[in-house]
Amino acid sequence: MSFYNNSSSSTSNSGVLLEISLSEILLAIKPSEDDVTARTQIINELKATVGGMRSQNLRGASVELFGSFVSNLYTRWGDLDISVQLPDDQVYNSTALRDIKGALQRRGIFHIVDFIPEARVPILAVASNRNNIHCDISINNWKGLINSKFLSWITQIDGRFRDMVLLIKEWAKSRDINSPKDGTLNSYSLSLLVIFHFQTCEPAIFPPLKEIYAGNIVKDFRGGRLTVTEERNIHDTCNSNIERFRRNLTNVNKSSVSELFVSFFQKFSTIKTMASDRVICTYSGQWEQKRNYFRRSTPLLIEDPIDRPENAARAVMYMSHLDKISEACEETYQKLLSVGCDKTSLISSLVSREVSSKILI
């Protein structure tokens, strides 16, 4: 059923305008073949750099991709997330990153953007001198590897998921609420919000994630990193369950991307009220009572489905942070309901100025 399904022609026109606008936004932000090629070149350069290092700390290291590039949920401006996998767990992550930082500086094909050795997850942020594509490099980030592969498997369920994630991420950046360092949402949390929306719309597009993997991947393999066999088993289990869900689906949700987009903001315009005593739980596919969680004092709790009950939105530490997220959702929802909204105003409210300038020409 159309979100705009009523007798008003102006309301109907608003729906058509939004559909066209979102299609143009997606055309502008989806990566091209050249964008993929550029990232592949960077990956090969990083592999060559790490593989050619003589440092004892990095002997036997491998360069592995994770994040949005692996899950295919990245825009043409998306960063690359790199995990350098070390066979020796005794090597300090910050020490290994210092060695990599020195090697990249000597090669002269990357420049250092930031180096945070004392963070919970030490990060070396670099950018390619050729095209300024940014890369965040960490050590032994096997949780990130599984996390992104899990999202890539979920994208198989419905093609609208990728479009929605790209649109929501671009919107969140334009509203300055996609920045963990500033107390707002990381991209993983935004993806989980879209998953939750797909689970709780009528009829549901996604199942509870426990129907895809009935366990806790991180806790199940706490004894050590995943072996190739263990990872293959998880992959086979998830794909088998996804195929069964798709095969048994009888009540199909036929909403357009624009209708799902509007209902996303309708749903999360009340996120501040709902989050006061509830948890967004994609594992069960429903709001859960916060009193059942250890960290119930946090303003926003989005449970990490692969590492329950960890909070994927842990950067949202203060009520002011949640206020900003809630206000952005509410303001956008009201904007989308505005029947007098013109195309220029609409697109400008949903993307950054840089993106809107590429569309509104």
Side-chain angles (χ1 to χ4, degrees):
M1 178 181 294
S2 171
F3 187 88
Y4 300 97
N5 187 19
N6 60 38
S7 59
S8 168
S9 60
S10 59
T11 303
S12 178
N13 290 338
S14 295
V16 173
L17 175 62
L18 179 59
E19 191 76 34
I20 293 172
S21 299
L22 295 183
S23 295
E24 293 186 8
I25 292 171
L26 285 169
L27 187 63
I29 66 178
K30 281 185 175 179
S32 65
E33 289 186 11
D34 289 342
D35 295 318
V36 177
T37 299
R39 282 162 176 75
T40 302
Q41 290 175 342
I42 289 174
I43 294 162
N44 291 335
E45 289 167 349
L46 286 169
K47 287 182 176 179
T49 300
V50 173
M53 292 177 65
R54 297 181 179 180
S55 168
Q56 180 69 29
N57 295 325
L58 291 161
R59 182 168 296 177
S62 64
V63 172
E64 302 290 343
L65 277 163
F66 69 101
S68 60
F69 189 77
V70 171
S71 61
N72 198 26
L73 298 174
Y74 71 104
T75 66
R76 65 194 328 162
W77 300 281
D79 297 346
L80 284 171
D81 294 300
I82 306 291
S83 176
V84 176
Q85 300 296 105
L86 303 180
D88 186 359
D89 287 329
Q90 302 304 312
V91 176
Y92 288 108
N93 291 358
S94 56
T95 301
L97 284 178
R98 284 191 176 89
D99 290 346
I100 296 170
K101 175 174 177 282
L104 291 175
Q105 288 175 317
R106 288 190 292 273
R107 289 200 68 180
I109 55 179
F110 292 91
H111 59 272
I112 308 302
V113 176
D114 204 357
F115 181 40
I116 315 172
E118 306 306 325
R120 189 178 66 88
V121 178
I123 291 289
L124 171 63
V126 302
S128 169
N129 289 335
R130 182 186 299 113
N131 44 36
N132 203 39
I133 293 175
H134 286 228
C135 307
D136 287 340
I137 304 173
S138 54
I139 303 295
N140 286 344
N141 198 334
W142 75 270
K143 178 181 174 182
L145 298 176
I146 289 296
N147 175 308
S148 49
K149 289 178 181 178
F150 190 71
L151 285 178
S152 73
W153 301 333
I154 291 173
T155 60
Q156 301 171 30
I157 300 176
D158 193 289
R160 290 170 291 183
F161 175 65
R162 180 184 180 226
D163 286 350
M164 275 290 291
V165 170
L166 295 185
L167 289 168
I168 295 301
K169 285 170 65 173
E170 186 59 42
W171 164 81
K173 288 178 182 177
S174 74
R175 298 302 301 257
D176 295 324
I177 58 171
N178 182 205
S179 177
K181 67 179 182 180
D182 296 322
T184 55
L185 299 166
N186 57 32
S187 294
Y188 180 48
S189 293
L190 291 168
S191 297
L192 291 178
L193 288 182
V194 177
I195 291 174
F196 189 73
H197 181 45
F198 276 37
Q199 292 171 326
T200 53
C201 58
E202 293 290 343
I205 302 172
F206 282 179
L209 295 187
K210 64 183 179 182
E211 294 184 14
I212 295 177
Y213 185 84
N216 187 315
I217 296 177
V218 171
K219 301 292 191 301
D220 289 348
F221 300 97
R222 186 176 289 282
R225 67 192 69 187
L226 288 174
T227 65
V228 173
T229 300
E230 289 169 338
E231 184 178 326
R232 186 183 301 116
N233 288 340
I234 294 173
H235 174 268
D236 291 345
T237 297
C238 292
N239 276 336
S240 176
N241 288 332
I242 287 171
E243 182 56 34
R244 183 175 62 212
F245 170 77
R246 295 176 65 182
R247 186 172 58 248
N248 296 335
L249 190 63
T250 56
N251 194 9
V252 179
N253 185 308
K254 298 181 180 179
S255 299
S256 66
V257 170
S258 65
E259 290 162 352
L260 291 169
F261 192 72
V262 174
S263 56
F264 176 92
F265 292 107
Q266 180 185 35
K267 183 174 295 176
F268 292 113
S269 63
T270 62
I271 191 171
K272 179 179 177 180
T273 302
M274 298 295 286
S276 63
D277 62 351
R278 299 186 192 181
V279 173
I280 295 172
C281 181
T282 56
Y283 185 75
S284 65
Q286 61 186 16
W287 290 95
E288 298 289 353
Q289 291 298 315
K290 188 177 281 189
R291 63 173 178 267
N292 297 328
Y293 287 76
F294 176 69
R295 294 182 178 87
R296 54 184 177 271
S297 61
T298 184
L300 178 63
L301 207 164
I302 304 174
E303 186 184 63
D304 187 340
I306 72 163
D307 192 14
R308 297 178 291 113
E310 290 300 313
N311 183 15
R314 58 182 172 272
V316 185
M317 299 177 63
Y318 304 105
M319 189 55 68
S320 58
H321 298 157
L322 181 56
D323 287 341
K324 186 175 183 179
I325 296 167
S326 182
E327 288 169 7
C329 290
E330 172 62 23
E331 289 172 4
T332 301
Y333 178 54
Q334 293 303 323
K335 182 74 172 182
L336 295 174
L337 292 183
S338 174
V339 295
C341 185
D342 62 274
K343 183 179 176 181
T344 299
S345 174
L346 178 60
I347 290 179
S348 297
S349 70
L350 299 177
V351 299
S352 66
R353 185 175 301 176
E354 178 186 12
V355 176
S356 64
S357 67
K358 298 179 185 301
I359 301 172
L360 301 169
I361 56 175

